[in-house]
Amino acid sequence: MRRAFPCRFLSLTALAAAALLALPGSAWASTDPVELPASWAQVSADGPWVVFVPAGTPEEVGWVSEHIDVWGLNPDERELIALIDRDGLEFLGRQGIPVTLDETRTRELELAGRPLAKQGGGIPGFPCYRTVEETFQSAQAIATNNPGLATWTDVGDTWEKDAGVSAGYDIFVLKLTQSAVPGPKPVFFASTAIHAREYATAELGTRFAEFLVAGYGTDPNITWLLDEHEVHLMLQANPDGRKEAEDGLFWRKNKNNDYCSNTDSRGADLNRNFEYEWNCCNGSSGQQCSDVFRGPSAASEPEIQALQAYVRTIFPDQRGPDPNDPAPDDATGVAIDIHSFSELVLWPWGFTSSSPANGTAFTTLGRKVAFFNDYFPLEISDFTIADGSSADFFYGDLGVAGLAFEIGTSFFQSCTSFEADVLQQNIDALLFAAKVARTPYLTPAGPEAMDTAVLPSTAPEGALVNVSATLDDTRFSNRNGTEPSQNIASAEAFIGSPWAPGAVGIPMAAADGTFDSAVERVEATLSTTGLSPGRHLVFVQGTDTAGSTGVVAAAFLEIAQFPLIFEDGFESGDTSAWTSSLGF
């Protein structure tokens, strides 16, 4: 099947009235004619073309996004990346909006348009990305093979299934947590592929799930995460639309045929259909064929009804109804809607240029997460005005720390680039975000514990062991402002969960003798007296001089079940010989 490239914007005739409605005072307003540059014709004689467009103000970006297919943002240059045809070029020219050809991405359209050979699995031409069915099969296998760790639950229907116009799809959530450890537990939620054409997002979510399951029981930090927290993943939030995109269409919306019917632009933009501040602020479109069509009413689409209903069951409502009401500092929960592309970490608000009451904490969280994927951290409304969006809903409706990732550099990210660049850095970012879900407005500001080690890692009950770790208060992205860091003030070690009732930490010392730096190696000697045979987790946690306590890191400690015999003849029960032989 050949790839088709429908241009997701209104034709010039449909925009004739809109073209007269440029924002008052905008430097873009103009009536000068525009001609196709000769250099563009050499790349593609008839279009479409991928272009760079000056971003303008957030209000201008929101307005222009209603009329052309904006793909992403180049944040360092404050440029939009958009797809246009001749009508789109003429429209932008009549507005006086200068555009520059993105020759590389435009040529990629021609390459992607070639017939694709069949392959053993994955989306045709992109074997690293699982289809909807393959994603569901992989998630079901995780749940089947790990019954105490994973569940795969039907939480709703797509529009096509709900309307009965085709088989459609169920919408599922993969939940990961160790069920043997009782709750309640902090919750991390991520949705992917809510915009159908964004190939890498669902694969990232699926790989993240596989990464966590593979690491449980072997990696101490993944083990404590799934013991103490819950991870919920909606891997295909828009499966109807995704099936269209798997055929190579730049399909963004759902498949609701009531809007812009029987065209490649039908459906609603699910990321403008959330209830919170829906259609409040010129951050979406009422035109059915627009890429940012918000739907006829808030949460009109069954996909959004399913998502909203589900997250309301896993997160408490922790924020008042007014947009200026803060969530409490110790509010719990992180929710991330993963998109592509532009290499951004985004947070509320999107519907207004005013920052939220928890804005400082959001900035700290965003900069911390962006340290791991090296993306540009940005409040949504610093880029564009978007109402009825996911991150605003997570925070506005529930007080949850809602974020959006824009991963990678293309909708159809090459498998080579995905595997080499996009995957691991974003798994690291998601892992950190899941770790701080207990108190996301507090924990990111504190020093991060890393490289926790216990020596010896196997010991008899009653022996002394040495615990060490590194605490670092400096690991923030500085791509958009600088996050303050402080010296380490103290550190504690815990045998078992630091959040267990009555847990008491053992003070740790700076390895160099003094806490006088933002990065410190810390150490302590712990007694294993009273520990049962088997494996235990040892946690390290640090606090800085501002009083912020950071994310923990853990290591395994095995308490030997039988006496250990050593070459000099003493047994494990002789703890004085054990400890002296270790030099403690």
Side-chain angles (χ1 to χ4, degrees):
M1 177 179 294
R2 286 190 61 84
R3 296 191 177 278
F5 299 101
C7 292
R8 292 272 197 272
F9 45 79
L10 305 182
S11 69
L12 183 60
T13 54
L15 285 170
L20 301 176
L21 299 178
L23 296 178
S26 171
W28 287 347
S30 173
T31 58
D32 293 339
V34 63
E35 296 181 1
L36 179 66
S39 58
W40 290 35
Q42 294 175 3
V43 176
S44 177
D46 300 314
W49 301 273
V50 184
V51 297
F52 296 112
V53 183
T57 68
E59 290 77 14
E60 289 171 331
V61 171
W63 176 80
V64 80
S65 297
E66 293 186 43
H67 305 307
I68 65 171
D69 187 7
V70 174
W71 282 10
L73 173 70
N74 179 355
D76 294 310
E77 301 295 333
R78 293 292 301 178
E79 294 175 324
L80 305 179
I81 303 168
L83 182 71
I84 63 173
D85 63 2
R86 284 181 176 271
D87 283 349
L89 177 64
E90 185 72 16
F91 168 70
L92 292 173
R94 289 188 181 279
Q95 298 305 306
I97 303 174
V99 294
T100 305
L101 180 68
D102 182 343
E103 182 174 339
T104 299
R105 287 191 177 94
T106 300
R107 292 190 184 278
E108 286 175 352
L109 297 182
E110 293 296 321
L111 293 173
R114 296 174 181 172
L116 296 173
K118 294 291 184 181
Q119 58 196 35
I123 296 173
F126 297 86
C128 64
Y129 301 128
R130 277 167 272 209
T131 64
V132 171
E133 291 78 9
E134 289 166 343
T135 301
F136 286 178
Q137 291 164 8
S138 295
Q140 180 63 71
I142 289 173
T144 300
N145 297 330
N146 302 275
L149 197 63
T151 58
W152 179 237
T153 304
D154 181 353
V155 300
D157 297 332
T158 63
W159 182 84
E160 288 193 323
K161 183 169 186 178
D162 188 61
V165 299
S166 73
Y169 289 92
D170 295 313
I171 297 173
F172 288 91
V173 170
L174 179 65
K175 175 184 174 182
L176 303 175
T177 193
Q178 175 50 262
S179 60
V181 178
K185 303 177 184 181
V187 171
F188 171 85
F189 172 84
S191 52
T192 54
I194 200 168
H195 286 153
R197 62 194 179 184
E198 299 168 5
Y199 276 6
T201 63
E203 187 64 27
L204 171 62
T206 308
R207 301 279 190 106
F208 183 54
E210 292 170 337
F211 168 78
L212 294 178
V213 170
Y216 185 79
T218 60
D219 184 313
N221 289 298
I222 293 175
T223 302
W224 82 249
L225 174 66
L226 294 185
D227 281 349
E228 304 290 339
H229 290 196
E230 296 177 1
V231 174
H232 300 244
L233 303 171
M234 184 177 282
L235 299 172
Q236 294 282 359
N238 178 17
D240 287 351
R242 179 55 172 252
K243 287 312 294 182
E244 296 297 323
E246 288 175 7
D247 283 337
L249 298 176
F250 282 118
W251 199 284
R252 173 181 168 97
K253 301 187 284 184
N254 73 349
K255 287 287 296 295
N256 193 328
N257 202 45
D258 292 337
Y259 321 133
C260 196
S261 61
N262 298 314
T263 74
D264 290 331
S265 293
R266 67 184 179 273
D269 180 357
L270 298 180
N271 201 34
R272 298 296 186 274
N273 190 240
F274 286 87
E275 286 181 6
Y276 192 79
E277 296 294 345
W278 177 85
N279 186 26
C280 73
C281 310
N282 298 314
S284 56
S285 177
Q287 297 293 326
Q288 292 187 359
C289 296
S290 168
D291 251 11
V292 290
F293 173 56
R294 56 183 166 258
S297 60
S300 58
E301 306 312 296
E303 295 90 348
I304 295 305
Q305 294 167 18
L307 193 158
Q308 289 188 162
Y310 185 76
V311 298
R312 283 169 172 160
T313 68
I314 61 175
F315 293 117
D317 185 352
Q318 304 166 99
R319 207 187 70 85
D322 190 274
N324 294 321
D325 289 337
D329 289 342
D330 62 353
T332 187
V334 172
I336 301 180
D337 191 18
I338 303 176
H339 294 259
S340 70
F341 60 95
S342 287
E343 299 188 329
L344 302 173
V345 173
L346 302 167
W347 58 88
W349 294 118
F351 77 91
T352 174
S353 57
S354 298
S355 295
N358 299 94
T360 299
F362 264 120
T363 300
T364 299
L365 172 62
R367 287 174 176 166
K368 185 69 178 183
V369 171
F371 173 85
F372 292 94
N373 55 18
D374 195 28
Y375 285 0
F376 195 90
L378 188 69
E379 189 170 315
I380 297 169
S381 60
D382 286 342
F383 160 40
T384 186
I385 299 298
D387 49 29
S389 66
S390 55
D392 279 6
F393 169 78
F394 296 141
Y395 174 66
D397 193 73
L398 298 166
V400 169
L403 301 176
F405 285 8
E406 293 280 359
I407 66 172
T409 57
S410 174
F411 293 140
F412 297 168
Q413 192 88 34
S414 74
C415 286
T416 299
S417 176
F418 175 75
E419 301 281 1
D421 302 322
V422 176
L423 179 60
Q424 190 58 55
Q425 62 187 5
N426 281 290
I427 282 181
D428 292 342
L430 292 173
L431 183 62
F432 180 85
K435 288 178 179 179
V436 301
R438 186 175 298 271
T439 49
Y441 300 126
L442 294 174
T443 304
E448 183 184 353
M450 302 180 294
D451 303 325
T452 297
V454 177
L455 292 175
S457 59
T458 300
E461 185 273 331
L464 300 178
V465 296
N466 180 261
V467 180
S468 61
T470 297
L471 301 177
D472 194 332
D473 205 60
T474 69
R475 284 158 57 97
F476 299 96
S477 170
N478 293 319
R479 292 189 63 189
N480 186 20
T482 301
E483 188 69 22
S485 60
Q486 293 79 32
N487 288 347
I488 309 302
S490 63
E492 291 181 301
F494 298 81
I495 300 178
S497 171
W499 307 289
V504 177
I506 295 91
M508 303 182 75
D512 63 3
T514 306
F515 285 118
D516 58 1
S517 172
V519 182
E520 294 278 3
R521 188 70 181 169
V522 295
E523 57 188 14
T525 299
L526 305 184
S527 171
T528 64
T529 300
L531 294 183
S532 59
R535 192 169 62 185
H536 300 261
L537 280 165
V538 177
F539 294 79
V540 173
Q541 188 174 56
T543 302
D544 64 24
T545 56
S548 297
T549 298
V551 70
V552 301
F556 290 129
L557 167 63
E558 188 78 23
I559 300 300
Q561 186 170 3
F562 302 106
L564 300 177
I565 305 297
F566 299 93
E567 290 182 1
D568 57 6
F570 64 81
E571 294 186 357
S572 64
D574 184 357
T575 57
S576 62
W578 170 274
T579 55
S580 63
S581 71
L582 293 170
F584 292 159

